[in-house]
Amino acid sequence: MRNSHAFGAEMRLISVILFLVEFLRGAVLVSLLPIYGAKTLGLAPDVIGAAISAHYLVDTMLKIVIGYLLDRFSIRIVVQAGLVVSLAGVFLLRFAELPWMFIGAAALYGIGMSPIWIACLTKVSAQQRAAQMGLLYTVWMVGLGSGPIVCTILLDVSVSFTYNLLVSLSATACLLTLFMNRTRAQTTERIPLGKQLTILKGQLRSMRLLLPGMILQTAGASMLVPILPGYAEQELGLSGAQYSILLTTGGITAVASLIPMGKLSDRLTSKKWFLVAGFGVFGIGLWMLASGLAFWYCLLISAMLGLSYSAILPAWNALLATYVPPKQEGVGWGMLSTFEGFGVMIGPAAGGLLAAQNGESSVFWTSATLFGLIGLFYFWLPKQAFATTNKSDKQVERS
């Protein structure tokens, strides 16, 4: 009972740190880099875009390394070191007047972001995977969504105050790591690196049918990011306030539904129909938005997208958790996060290229088609592929 209480207290602490980290990530990437970089530092848009890409590139490339470190060192040490590097990245942005310094500071910030999310995933229990995934994604979405809103408002008031606030919040996240447990992720037994790579290779082979969905879903979603504000204004004729209402509606619906969807998903052995319905409805919603409907229809579609997103996330991550080998949770989650990160890396560039050549509506059509194809593909897969009995145990035994 005492161990359960300690586990719950540590999860709450890590969730608070995760909220601060994601709040800062949203504030820095969506508001501070574009607005502060352009208006205060006078940097060109291509430099700002390169800085954001550098952040995600470094974050993605380091995930397996961070996972490996989490399996061998204290979670507290790894997360603490990452957040100190992140603090340095935010601090240096004020002095990054040259393009290479600005890009370098953003990349440094990406290094610090990597550990905390993988650390959270390694703490999820097998008995309540989807529910706990829902909780983590609720924290993630609230933090990531509220950061840009708060930062944008404060930048209009005072750039200096906003910058100092973000640095202070980053320092606070670092200080909170002092209260984290010193234990390593899940186990004290070390597995040789060669054996880990053999096991992970077998896991990738066994989940090869899911890999396209991992990359395409993140690519399909992230390709919308560069064109959303322009599409809302030019194609849908929405004001800034109406656009904010749409985002808020979708976000609130997703956040409010994540934990209930996670609990419902936990009751089912197979996640197939959650994923088929979620991806299918999401694709239909994007297809409808591409049709240029009136604001009130878009509001309903936004809520529908939020609901389908909340059905996908807990079930999807609970399914992925079954492929994470025991005794190497850090490396396993790092590997999976890396594959998902590839989609985030290529999505914005692909979306910008499509918009430039064929217009912003084409990005919605393409993204909607991708999600629809993922839903159809998973519809035809056998139900056994989505069962949440741990698929990694047998692989470890064979190795």
Side-chain angles (χ1 to χ4, degrees), residues 44 48 65 68 81 90 118 160 165 186 209 225 247-248 284 289 294 318 323 328 384 393:
I48 296 172
V65 176
Y68 181 81
V90 176
I118 301 175
S160 179
L165 175 64
Q186 299 292 336
L209 293 177
V225 174
L247 293 180
T248 303
I284 292 171
L289 279 179
Y323 289 93
Q328 48 177 326
Q384 291 77 8
D393 293 333

Side-chain angles (χ1 to χ4, degrees), residues 42-195:
L43 297 174
D46 59 340
V47 175
I48 296 172
I52 296 174
S53 296
H55 169 88
Y56 280 116
L57 177 64
V58 172
D59 182 32
T60 299
M61 292 295 99
L62 284 179
K63 277 185 165 62
I64 292 182
V65 176
I66 294 297
Y68 181 81
L69 294 175
L70 284 170
D71 283 336
R72 274 152 179 74
F73 299 98
S74 162
I75 290 178
R76 170 178 162 178
I77 292 175
V78 178
V79 172
Q80 198 170 65
L83 292 183
V84 169
V85 174
S86 173
L87 174 61
V90 176
F91 180 77
L92 290 174
L93 282 173
R94 168 170 280 184
F95 311 100
E97 297 181 355
L98 299 176
W100 70 267
M101 296 174 63
F102 190 75
I103 295 171
L108 197 65
Y109 183 64
I111 295 175
M113 295 288 98
S114 298
I116 183 62
W117 180 247
I118 301 175
C120 287
L121 294 177
T122 63
K123 288 292 183 180
V124 172
S125 64
Q127 293 77 18
Q128 294 180 308
R129 280 197 184 107
Q132 291 183 359
M133 287 292 186
L135 175 61
L136 287 178
Y137 270 104
T138 299
V139 174
W140 170 72
M141 291 183 69
V142 172
L144 195 63
S146 59
I149 297 173
V150 173
C151 185
T152 301
I153 294 173
L154 292 179
L155 281 172
D156 287 338
V157 177
S158 171
V159 172
S160 179
F161 173 79
T162 305
Y163 173 83
N164 291 332
L165 175 64
L166 295 180
V167 171
S168 299
L169 289 176
S170 185
T172 300
C174 292
L175 291 174
L176 287 176
T177 61
L178 295 173
F179 301 97
M180 291 178 63
N181 198 306
R182 289 181 178 271
T183 58
R184 287 188 283 117
Q186 299 292 336
T187 181
T188 57
E189 180 180 346
R190 298 188 181 185
I191 300 177
L193 179 59
K195 185 175 181 180

Side-chain angles (χ1 to χ4, degrees), residues 204-250:
L204 287 176
R205 189 182 302 113
S206 66
M207 64 182 298
R208 61 187 179 277
L209 293 177
L210 297 178
L211 291 178
M214 291 178 65
I215 298 174
L216 290 178
Q217 65 175 289
T218 52
S222 62
M223 69 192 307
L224 297 171
V225 174
I227 58 96
L228 268 177
Y231 179 80
E233 180 182 358
Q234 298 172 14
E235 301 294 331
L236 298 180
L238 302 181
S239 65
Q242 289 175 320
Y243 175 65
S244 298
I245 292 173
L246 282 184
L247 293 180
T248 303
T249 300

Side-chain angles (χ1 to χ4, degrees), residues 212-224 275-287 305 308-309 312-313 363-379:
M214 291 178 65
I215 298 174
L216 290 178
Q217 65 175 289
T218 52
S222 62
M223 69 192 307
L224 297 171
L275 297 175
V276 170
F279 284 121
V281 171
F282 203 88
I284 292 171
L286 292 178
W287 193 272
L305 291 174
S308 62
Y309 196 61
I312 293 170
L313 280 181
V363 184
F364 272 88
W365 298 120
T366 304
S367 181
T369 302
L370 283 177
F371 279 102
L373 290 175
I374 294 171
L376 286 174
F377 179 67
Y378 288 158
F379 175 80

Side-chain angles (χ1 to χ4, degrees), residues 241-307:
Q242 289 175 320
Y243 175 65
S244 298
I245 292 173
L246 282 184
L247 293 180
T248 303
T249 300
I252 289 177
T253 305
V255 169
S257 305
L258 269 176
I259 293 179
M261 284 290 187
K263 290 181 177 179
L264 181 60
S265 178
D266 273 333
R267 298 177 184 176
L268 303 176
T269 304
S270 174
K271 311 300 180 187
K272 173 173 181 173
W273 299 114
F274 263 84
L275 297 175
V276 170
F279 284 121
V281 171
F282 203 88
I284 292 171
L286 292 178
W287 193 272
M288 293 170 69
L289 279 179
S291 302
L293 300 175
F295 172 69
W296 294 108
Y297 291 105
C298 292
L299 201 61
L300 294 175
I301 295 169
S302 178
M304 183 176 73
L305 291 174
L307 185 63

